[in-house]
């Protein structure tokens, strides 16, 4: 049975439902590569667009770094060790956050280069006590966790303590449908692909506000409208990589949201 047939909660909305312009308040996360030319990247800059910049190294072009300030928020993927010259170059993007994976070297490096920058931490696999302690030492503002296999109570308790904003990537094998009722800002939120959202309908655990839904740039307008109307706190995730064609499609998506 296809996903669309299962997505009873996301069929086209009836006539008279709000226009898609309700999407003007929706946060859009754009995952893009440093290989995009800065002027191409700049075409996606909007106040409610958060840029997640993937990198090949810690050495970024000055023109790319200055472009980051045009986004509502931006995070730069970095890896240890961070050379002095690269740390100094980050001054060109004083508001940009740091997008990191856990590493024992980061706490000392962050003392030198973090300043007031937020840290977004990327976790994958089992969340044991050692990884939780290492992650907490980095004082992240938000954590995105991709579990592997079943998640027990201890892992979930550690996850809940790591950061003010927590997002758990929900794969089909970890899917837990649930009628969440009111979504709470201080609870962890789910991130899932739009096909998974279709399969489960309206409810999925975890139940925090700001569920992130991964969508293609050319997502059907009726589905986009349904996602936004049914959960005004929903956030969209669009991956463009280094593909200029996907940048154009994402720009049209932003325009459809009223940006």
């Amino acid at each position: 049975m296809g996903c669309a047939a299962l997505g009873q909660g996301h069929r086209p909305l009836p006539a008279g439902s709000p226009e898609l312009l309700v999407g003007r308040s929706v946060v859009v996360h754009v995952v893009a590569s440093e290989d995009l030319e800065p002027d191409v990247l700049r075409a996606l800059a909007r106040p409610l667009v958060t840029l997640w910049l993937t990198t090949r190294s810690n050495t970024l072009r000055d023109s790319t770094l200055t472009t980051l300030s045009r986004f509502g928020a931006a995070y730069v993927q970095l890896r240890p060790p961070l050379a002095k010259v690269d740390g100094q170059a980050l001054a060109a993007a004083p508001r940009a956050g740091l997008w990191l994976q856990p590493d024992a070297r980061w706490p000392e490096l962050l003392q030198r280069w973090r300043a007031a920058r937020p840290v977004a931490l990327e976790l994958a696999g089992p969340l044991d006590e050692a990884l939780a302690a290492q992650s907490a030492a980095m004082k992240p503002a938000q954590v995105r966790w991709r579990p592997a296999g079943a998640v027990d109570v201890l892992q979930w308790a550690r996850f809940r303590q790591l950061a003010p904003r927590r997002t758990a990537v929900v794969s089909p094998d970890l899917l837990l449908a649930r009628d969440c009722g009111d979504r709470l800002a201080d609870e962890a939120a789910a991130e899932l692909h739009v096909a998974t959202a279709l399969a489960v309908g309206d409810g999925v655990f975890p139940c925090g506000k700001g569920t992130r839904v991964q969508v293609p740039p050319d997502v059907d307008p009726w589905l986009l409208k349904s996602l936004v109307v049914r959960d005004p706190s929903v956030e969209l995730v669009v991956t463009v990589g280094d593909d200029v064609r996907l940048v154009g499609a994402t720009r049209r998506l932003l325009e459809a949201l009223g940006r």
Side-chain angles (χ1 to χ4, degrees):
M1 184 180 297
C3 285
L6 293 171
Q8 298 301 312
H10 291 287
R11 289 177 293 186
L13 296 173
S17 59
E19 294 296 325
L20 189 56
L21 292 182
V22 295
R24 285 184 175 179
S25 62
V26 174
V27 172
V28 180
H29 301 270
V30 173
V31 184
S33 169
E34 65 162 315
D35 292 329
L36 287 174
E37 289 298 323
D39 58 337
V40 175
L41 194 61
R42 197 175 301 124
L44 300 177
R46 306 285 193 284
L48 286 176
V49 173
T50 297
L51 175 67
W52 298 85
L53 189 70
T54 63
T55 62
R56 290 175 283 100
S57 71
N58 294 334
T59 304
L60 298 177
R61 291 176 289 184
D62 291 342
S63 54
T64 297
L65 285 168
T66 55
T67 298
L68 302 185
S69 63
R70 294 175 174 265
F71 290 83
Y75 288 86
V76 179
Q77 184 182 50
L78 296 176
R79 303 164 189 81
L82 185 65
K84 182 177 181 179
V85 64
D86 294 327
Q88 292 172 334
L90 287 171
R95 293 175 48 242
L98 310 180
W99 184 15
L100 314 174
Q101 292 183 339
D103 190 288
R105 292 169 286 182
W106 274 128
E108 180 181 352
L109 291 169
L110 290 175
Q111 286 184 356
R112 277 182 273 167
W113 303 119
R114 179 176 187 166
R117 299 176 190 274
V119 166
L121 196 57
E122 193 81 24
L123 303 179
L127 185 53
D128 58 25
E129 189 172 351
L131 179 58
Q134 187 179 78
S135 301
M138 296 169 64
K139 299 179 180 178
Q142 57 179 298
V143 173
R144 180 176 180 267
W145 178 34
R146 186 184 297 274
V151 177
D152 58 35
V153 174
L154 280 178
Q155 289 187 77
W156 191 254
R158 295 178 189 124
F159 176 54
R160 291 188 65 189
Q161 296 173 5
L162 284 182
R165 177 71 194 271
R166 305 169 303 280
T167 305
V169 181
V170 179
S171 57
D173 56 323
L174 294 176
L175 192 62
L176 179 60
R178 175 175 168 181
D179 182 6
C180 290
D182 292 336
R183 293 185 175 273
L184 304 176
D186 58 350
E187 290 295 331
E191 179 178 326
L192 66 167
H193 192 272
V194 65
T196 306
L198 281 170
V200 76
D202 284 338
V204 64
F205 181 84
C207 294
K209 281 188 176 181
T211 298
R212 295 182 183 179
V213 180
Q214 303 162 8
V215 299
D218 58 353
V219 59
D220 287 339
W222 71 262
L223 179 54
L224 191 61
K225 181 176 180 180
S226 178
L227 289 169
V228 173
V229 170
R230 295 181 190 282
D231 180 5
S233 77
V234 73
E235 301 180 0
L236 305 177
V237 181
V238 184
T239 299
V240 301
D242 60 358
D243 193 326
V244 176
R245 293 170 300 177
L246 294 181
V247 171
T250 302
R251 188 174 182 177
R252 291 190 290 275
L253 182 152
L254 294 173
E255 291 169 354
L257 289 169
R259 307 297 166 84

